[in-house]
Amino acid sequence: MDADLVVIGTGPGGESLANRAASSGLRVVVVEKHLVGGECPYYGCIPSKMMLRAAHALTEAHRAGQLAGTVTVEPSFAPVAQRVAEQATDHWNDAVAVKRLEDAGATVIRGTGRLDGARRVLVTPAGTSGGDGEIAIDARIGVVVNPGTRPAAPPIEGLAGTPYWTNREALQATAAPAELIVIGGGPIGCELTQVFSRFGTRVTLVQHGPRLLAGDEPEASALLERVLVEEGVRVLTDADPTSVTYAEGRFTLTLADGQQVSGDRLLVAAGRTPNTDGLGLESVGLDPRDITVDEWMRAGGDQAGLWIIGDVTGHGAFTHMSMYQADIAFRSITDAGGFSAAYHAVPHATFTDPEVGGVGLTEAAARAAGLTVRTGSTDLAASSRGFTHGPGAVGLIKVVEADGVLVGATAVGPAGGELLGLLALAVHARIPVETLGSMIYAYPTFHRAIASAIDDLHS
Ligand SMILES: Cc1cc2nc3c(=O)[nH]c(=O)nc-3n(C[C@H](O)[C@H](O)[C@H](O)COP(=O)(O)OP(=O)(O)OC[C@H]3O[C@@H](n4cnc5c(N)ncnc54)[C@H](O)[C@@H]3O)c2cc1C
């Protein structure tokens, strides 16, 4: 086959790039081994946020009881499972996404793709093996690779032989288990812990390091841990699982200190493994364990005809990063110019209640980078909005300043991810702190706390 462009793997970025390239008249071949759209719509962002919305609605109903009279709530997981299956994932069916690509003019091949030298792709069609029916595609302009990640399996003795959950099974759950062990206190582990806990599951959250959300500010980690513990989650930090057994429907996890934890489900959310094995990156002189892309997402030099985007580039495993990089790669492919990649203001949000949003550098990362920093923080509960809001108004704002501009910020609170917008703009556009301090912030909003955090800046 001949094409202008081949896209191997359609995470959110690969899918959008392929649609855009095909719509612009390029002959595009898309190679996808599972579902067009990748992890986010089927096993990630969208179904998890639907589950969180439901879990938070239950808690809000309880809070309404404190604010507005008697409320009786009987949790049921059935509407959650139904919404995820029918509205989010179309029963884990990508027909709509495939049709959108085909309508744009792309050819979609269901199979596993790998590079075979520059601008050449070999595809093993789904359902075939041993080279049967292999398709070779020559790409005039080049190849975009967007293979994403899969759940990592930590080296815990006995784990491989058990029916443990990853995010994939958890997001296809049709009922909340009675007792759940979650290994991993990153964003995915914390979000799913709160989902099931709020639906009545007794959850033990096992985190190998000293705190949850290790990539965020320690103050945010402490606050989230406090909230989860108050809600009844058992949080074990500095806990290293060494072995697991499964018998009669129960998992028993043994930790390095000899402690045992049991539950009827085990969710492993302990990091992600890049899908770079078997991609043929070596055939173009690249090391799959050390992928480097330039500011236009090009790999292997500007003449190699290869663009790599998404989680595997190591600039943040987020849908917005995949889409951002796809836009840059598309403009590179079509010589359209415009801005290239800059990563000083990468935002992220964890959609627990309270939400934890962060952008740019944490205080520790800024200091490690050799910056002379000042920090300021404020307690959201102590703000006027926190006072009027009442139950659920826990949170904080923390800002990190260097050379007169914010280099990082954290917003924890109800809609902390939305509060982040203003802070992300400040970090992205390097708005002087003096300007932020002279702004008028509407009273009594949560975002007004940003002014207090800026007032609090000290060495
Ligand atoms: C539970 C969970 C919640 C999340 N929540 C959020 C969130 O709220 N916000 C956020 O920004 N991010 C979130 N993420 C992360 C987000 O899902 C990813 O960052 C996003 O999907 C971007 O990934 P990607 O573009 O690198 O590729 P992926 O989405 O991983 O997709 C890669 C695709 O490539 C295919 N593929 C791989 N290798 C080949 C091959 N050789 N041939 C053919 N096809 C191949 C795969 O089948 C897959 O479809 C979440 C993730 C999880 C697991």
Side-chain angles (χ1 to χ4, degrees):
M1 279 177 85
D2 287 323
D4 291 327
L5 194 68
V6 179
V7 179
I8 303 178
T10 52
E15 182 189 10
S16 77
L17 187 150
N19 270 310
R20 219 168 141 188
S23 302
S24 74
L26 294 179
R27 290 175 306 140
V28 178
V29 176
V30 170
V31 184
E32 172 54 58
K33 67 177 178 186
H34 188 39
L35 293 168
V36 169
E39 202 75 359
C40 175
Y42 299 101
Y43 308 105
C45 332
I46 300 296
S48 64
K49 265 78 265 181
M50 273 191 179
M51 286 190 173
L52 283 156
R53 165 80 176 117
H56 299 342
L58 284 176
T59 302
E60 274 299 294
H62 290 299
R63 288 174 184 152
Q66 296 173 51
L67 294 166
T70 307
V71 177
T72 308
V73 197
E74 291 216 15
S76 163
F77 207 76
V80 189
Q82 186 178 359
R83 220 172 147 228
V84 166
E86 291 177 5
Q87 294 178 25
T89 67
D90 199 8
H91 298 276
W92 291 272
N93 180 328
D94 64 355
V96 172
V98 171
K99 182 167 186 310
R100 198 164 40 229
L101 276 169
E102 289 175 344
D103 287 350
T107 302
V108 179
I109 302 178
R110 204 65 86 172
T112 303
R114 67 180 195 281
L115 291 161
D116 182 33
R119 297 186 176 80
R120 190 175 156 85
V121 171
L122 294 177
V123 183
T124 305
T128 68
S129 61
D132 286 349
E134 192 165 74
I135 302 166
I137 314 169
D138 289 305
R140 184 181 62 83
I141 300 175
V143 180
V144 177
V145 175
N146 177 214
T149 61
R150 59 182 183 272
I156 301 172
E157 192 190 321
L159 181 67
T162 68
Y164 69 90
W165 277 358
T166 66
N167 60 294
R168 293 196 162 197
E169 292 75 24
L171 292 172
Q172 294 177 73
T174 51
E179 267 186 291
L180 172 70
I181 309 165
V182 178
I183 299 179
I188 297 172
C190 288
E191 287 184 355
L192 291 173
T193 286
Q194 200 173 42
V195 164
F196 290 109
S197 166
R198 289 188 163 187
F199 272 93
T201 302
R202 284 189 304 284
V203 185
T204 303
L205 176 54
V206 179
Q207 165 70 334
H208 72 94
R211 60 188 180 91
L212 306 177
L213 301 184
D216 284 286
E217 293 284 7
E219 295 89 337
S221 306
L223 202 155
L224 182 62
E225 181 175 338
R226 194 191 83 207
V227 169
L228 291 177
V229 169
E230 281 171 6
E231 291 184 4
V233 175
R234 188 174 166 217
V235 178
L236 303 178
T237 49
D238 284 322
D240 279 316
T242 52
S243 65
V244 63
T245 57
Y246 178 73
E248 292 168 19
R250 302 256 326 148
F251 291 87
T252 303
L253 190 68
T254 304
L255 307 179
D257 64 3
Q259 203 180 158
Q260 289 198 319
V261 187
S262 58
D264 50 359
R265 292 281 179 201
L266 170 67
L267 167 63
V268 176
R272 313 278 304 172
T273 301
N275 290 326
T276 45
D277 37 339
L279 259 181
L281 289 168
E282 300 86 346
S283 75
V284 290
L286 296 179
D287 178 354
R289 285 153 307 169
D290 184 22
I291 288 181
T292 311
V293 290
D294 70 9
E295 75 278 20
W296 291 102
M297 314 317 303
R298 293 174 301 202
D302 57 4
Q303 298 304 314
L306 179 63
W307 290 262
I308 304 182
I309 60 172
D311 292 2
V312 297
T313 63
H315 289 290
F318 311 118
T319 287
H320 43 274
M321 182 57 71
S322 186
M323 305 285 283
Y324 173 75
Q325 293 180 331
D327 171 50
I328 291 164
F330 176 74
R331 286 184 287 103
S332 167
I333 288 162
T334 54
D335 285 326
F339 62 86
S340 60
Y343 299 111
H344 67 285
V346 179
H348 66 272
T350 300
F351 294 84
T352 44
D353 171 22
E355 289 180 5
V356 179
V359 59
L361 300 174
T362 59
E363 178 184 353
R367 290 193 193 284
L371 299 177
T372 303
V373 304
R374 293 190 303 155
T375 62
S377 58
T378 190
D379 176 4
L380 222 61
S383 68
S384 298
R385 179 59 185 272
F387 174 66
T388 55
H389 193 87
V394 289
L396 60 89
I397 303 285
K398 177 172 175 179
V399 291
V400 182
E401 179 254 17
D403 296 327
V405 297
L406 296 189
V407 293
T410 295
V412 185
E418 304 305 320
L419 279 183
L420 191 68
L422 196 159
L423 293 164
L425 174 66
V427 176
H428 172 76
R430 300 186 171 93
I431 297 172
V433 162
E434 208 182 327
T435 308
L436 297 173
S438 67
M439 235 177 86
I440 304 171
Y441 297 79
Y443 180 87
T445 56
F446 280 124
H447 78 253
R448 195 174 154 82
I450 292 170
S452 308
I454 287 179
D455 277 351
D456 183 55
L457 277 172
H458 55 268
S459 304

